[in-house]
Amino acid sequence: MGCKYSKFGGACCCNSQYNGSVLEAPDNDEKGEADDLPKFQEYSFEQLRLATSGFSVDNIVSEHGEKAPNVVYKGKLENHRRVAVKRFNRMAWPDSRQFMEEAKAVGQLRNHRLANLLGCCCEGDERLLVEEFMPNDTLAKHLFHWESLPMKWAMRLRVVLHLAQALEYCTSKGRALYHDLNAYRIVFDDEGNPRLSCFGMMKNSRDGKSYSTNLAFTPPEYLRTGRVTPESVIYSFGTLLLDLLSGKHIPPSHALDLIRDRNLQMLTDSCLEGQFSDNDGTELVRLASRCLQYEPRERPNPKSLVTALTPLQKEMEVPSHVLMGIPYGATFTPLSPLAEACSRMDLTAVHEILENTGYKDDEGIANEDTLNSKKKGDVAYRHKEFKAAIECYTQFLEAATMVSPTVCARRSVCYLLSDMPQEALNDAAQAQVISPVWPTASYLQAAAFFALGMENEAQVALKEGSALEAKKIAASSK
């Protein structure tokens, strides 16, 4: 079958690996192996329940909300590693052996272009996946639902190159299939770099569909056979190229009509005006039309995508977080006296602020206030008798039926002032488990990280606390 869109740009654009006419891309950073990550492991359900504060609604990060068949939560493991936890619908994978085999196979992948799969859980009817947590939202958020500035052309080109490199790596490791590749599957790490979520390497269930999006975006061969192939993934890559070019989710058939009519202006995002040349736009359109060929064998492979996209890159010396406008590193604007005190490790001020705050942030969690051990702990805390306060608070926490996050926070401060930073970190993390949206818990974790000499982790905790506090302020002002 010939190329229907060969007249666009004056030459046939459907050459692929199947006819040997595409140059091969050089290896990318020795495949970008991520050797600093732990090996894939099995987690207990209790570990993941604690990590997500009991699968709290406040920790849901799924773009499709709480009612989605499989919900993704953010969480923090006992070793303080931040993770994303995907919890499948009950009985989605009735065969536990098949689930484990699939998860372990995906878990062997380790690459800097992926949000890597760290582990899984398979207990009773529960099936969960654990992935690296990417804190800077999805491509869909930045592309379709941006609030301040649209994504720059240079960043859009970087997204598709990184995605092509991720697919090339997965293909080289024998994992060429990806289910329902779309803008929600691309997430951004701490540095603002785009990564491909490994969650999409597995179906949503053993017998589930590989595509859940609108049929208009589904590869034509999948509609015929119900099977996903490596070429189907390339078709979905083409739809993402259209997303990035247009800033909208345009059905491929409509986009190809515009391409056939050489109506490039109608296809491109008006927000990108002046950011790229006609030649660059034409190249990206040509690549999209190749990926969207009706015949699977006429589509390119990931290696040739990398070859085509590499020379198009712009502003390569500019870090992704700068292009994205994402705060990074030491960039932190304290919103409250407590945040500022923790950021500069003024423990005297932290102690005083938490004493003056009292227990108003417990929001009904602590109902054991009449216990003498807690009252004695508060007296010792007020008089800066930290060892006595630790002892009294420990007695209270061991006896209480409902744990107070403020008691955990106060004991954390006592540990910090007693030069016991690891114990302080454990208490601050426990306060966050009890009350996931309490900024104080994040700020105290930052102080403990600073005391442990873990600067990067401290900055992340400060930013998490700042984000929680900003949400709280916004909610109270409505």
Side-chain angles (χ1 to χ4, degrees):
M1 178 178 176
C3 176
K4 292 187 292 183
Y5 312 105
S6 59
K7 71 175 185 177
F8 185 81
C12 180
C13 57
C14 65
N15 292 330
S16 72
Q17 77 277 26
Y18 302 106
N19 55 30
S21 61
V22 171
L23 294 174
E24 290 198 345
D27 284 345
N28 167 44
D29 190 27
E30 284 77 42
K31 301 299 183 184
E33 298 285 357
D35 297 326
D36 54 332
L37 289 173
K39 291 184 178 179
F40 183 89
Q41 69 180 85
E42 293 183 43
Y43 294 94
S44 70
F45 182 74
E46 181 63 14
Q47 281 179 296
L48 301 184
R49 189 189 68 79
L50 291 173
T52 58
S53 302
F55 300 102
S56 168
V57 173
D58 294 319
N59 283 333
I60 292 177
V61 292
S62 305
E63 292 284 353
H64 298 296
E66 186 182 359
K67 295 182 180 180
N70 308 301
V71 183
V72 180
Y73 302 83
K74 65 179 178 180
K76 189 176 292 184
L77 299 174
E78 293 167 342
N79 62 1
H80 304 291
R81 178 182 289 277
R82 294 175 300 155
V83 292
V85 179
K86 180 175 182 177
R87 188 181 188 184
F88 287 90
N89 238 349
R90 287 185 178 274
M91 299 309 295
W93 291 85
D95 188 335
S96 59
R97 181 183 301 178
Q98 187 179 27
F99 175 80
M100 288 298 298
E101 287 176 355
E102 277 285 299
K104 285 180 178 178
V106 175
Q108 300 309 305
L109 302 174
R110 286 290 181 269
N111 191 269
H112 291 301
R113 295 291 182 253
L114 300 174
N116 294 277
L117 199 64
L118 303 178
C120 70
C121 172
C122 187
E123 286 185 18
D125 293 338
E126 293 288 352
R127 306 286 185 264
L128 303 100
L129 298 176
V130 181
E131 183 178 270
E132 290 181 280
F133 179 66
M134 300 290 119
N136 284 310
D137 294 315
T138 65
L139 176 61
K141 172 68 183 299
H142 292 292
L143 193 60
F144 306 136
H145 310 296
W146 52 273
E147 295 172 357
S148 54
L149 292 172
M151 185 180 287
K152 294 181 178 179
W153 176 249
M155 192 64 213
R156 299 186 194 204
L157 291 173
R158 189 171 300 180
V159 167
V160 288
L161 176 61
H162 282 209
L163 176 56
Q165 290 170 338
L167 295 177
E168 180 191 8
Y169 167 79
C170 293
T171 300
S172 74
K173 297 296 183 181
R175 302 293 304 186
L177 300 186
Y178 196 94
H179 304 279
D180 202 12
L181 178 62
N182 59 57
Y184 291 97
R185 303 288 199 178
I186 300 169
V187 288
F188 292 83
D189 64 20
D190 294 84
E191 299 179 13
N193 289 316
R195 301 206 199 185
L196 178 62
S197 169
C198 274
F199 286 154
M201 303 296 290
M202 291 180 64
K203 290 183 180 181
N204 282 335
S205 66
R206 183 190 65 178
D207 302 316
K209 294 180 179 179
S210 292
Y211 286 87
S212 58
T213 54
N214 188 298
L215 294 180
F217 299 90
T218 302
E221 67 276 7
Y222 181 80
L223 294 176
R224 295 195 305 266
T225 67
R227 294 179 57 199
V228 62
T229 66
E231 293 80 11
S232 306
V233 181
I234 300 302
Y235 186 94
S236 297
F237 185 91
T239 67
L240 276 167
L241 283 174
L242 295 177
D243 289 348
L244 286 155
L245 187 64
S246 66
K248 301 183 286 290
H249 203 34
I250 298 179
S253 59
H254 177 56
L256 290 173
D257 285 341
L258 293 174
I259 293 171
R260 184 186 63 240
D261 296 334
R262 300 190 182 188
N263 201 339
L264 181 59
Q265 187 174 1
M266 288 289 292
L267 189 61
T268 54
D269 191 340
S270 59
C271 296
L272 296 173
E273 188 173 352
Q275 292 189 34
F276 64 94
S277 67
D278 288 343
N279 287 340
D280 285 349
T282 299
E283 283 299 316
L284 207 64
V285 167
R286 182 178 289 121
L287 189 59
S289 65
R290 286 174 55 198
C291 294
L292 294 170
Q293 288 298 296
Y294 184 85
E295 292 294 337
R297 61 185 177 82
E298 294 180 347
R299 300 170 197 156
N301 66 3
K303 184 179 284 289
S304 63
L305 290 175
V306 173
T307 300
L309 290 163
T310 299
L312 297 179
Q313 298 303 301
K314 310 292 182 186
E315 301 184 54
M316 291 180 286
E317 74 286 352
V318 181
S320 294
H321 67 88
V322 175
L323 288 176
M324 295 283 288
I326 293 172
Y328 176 67
T331 304
F332 167 69
T333 304
L335 298 177
S336 65
L338 179 61
E340 186 178 0
C342 288
S343 68
R344 54 189 167 85
M345 280 297 287
D346 185 347
L347 297 181
T348 301
V350 171
H351 170 268
E352 183 178 343
I353 291 167
L354 204 56
E355 179 186 348
N356 293 334
T357 301
Y359 287 83
K360 66 179 182 180
D361 284 300
D362 277 18
E363 297 178 350
I365 293 175
N367 60 359
E368 304 283 344
D369 288 5
T370 57
L371 290 184
N372 286 332
S373 56
K374 177 183 164 296
K375 288 185 176 181
K376 290 179 180 178
D378 289 342
V379 171
Y381 183 89
R382 188 178 311 116
H383 291 95
K384 301 183 180 180
E385 298 168 356
F386 300 119
K387 289 187 177 178
I390 289 171
E391 184 177 341
C392 293
Y393 285 146
T394 299
Q395 291 175 3
F396 168 74
L397 291 171
E398 288 177 350
T401 56
M402 295 184 72
V403 183
S404 159
T406 303
V407 169
C408 290
R410 289 191 173 201
R411 191 172 69 170
S412 176
V413 175
C414 293
Y415 278 133
L416 281 171
L417 287 159
S418 302
D419 198 24
M420 301 171 70
Q422 185 59 57
E423 290 81 357
L425 179 60
N426 293 341
D427 267 3
Q430 178 63 23
Q432 188 174 46
V433 168
I434 303 165
S435 187
V437 296
W438 194 33
T440 297
S442 294
Y443 290 142
L444 290 178
Q445 287 179 73
F449 280 130
F450 278 129
L452 289 165
M454 302 169 70
E455 176 79 21
N456 291 338
E457 290 81 356
Q459 293 294 345
V460 169
L462 282 174
K463 286 194 285 186
E464 287 179 344
S466 178
L468 289 172
E469 193 168 4
K471 287 182 179 179
K472 193 173 183 179
I473 292 171
S476 63
S477 64
K478 289 181 179 179

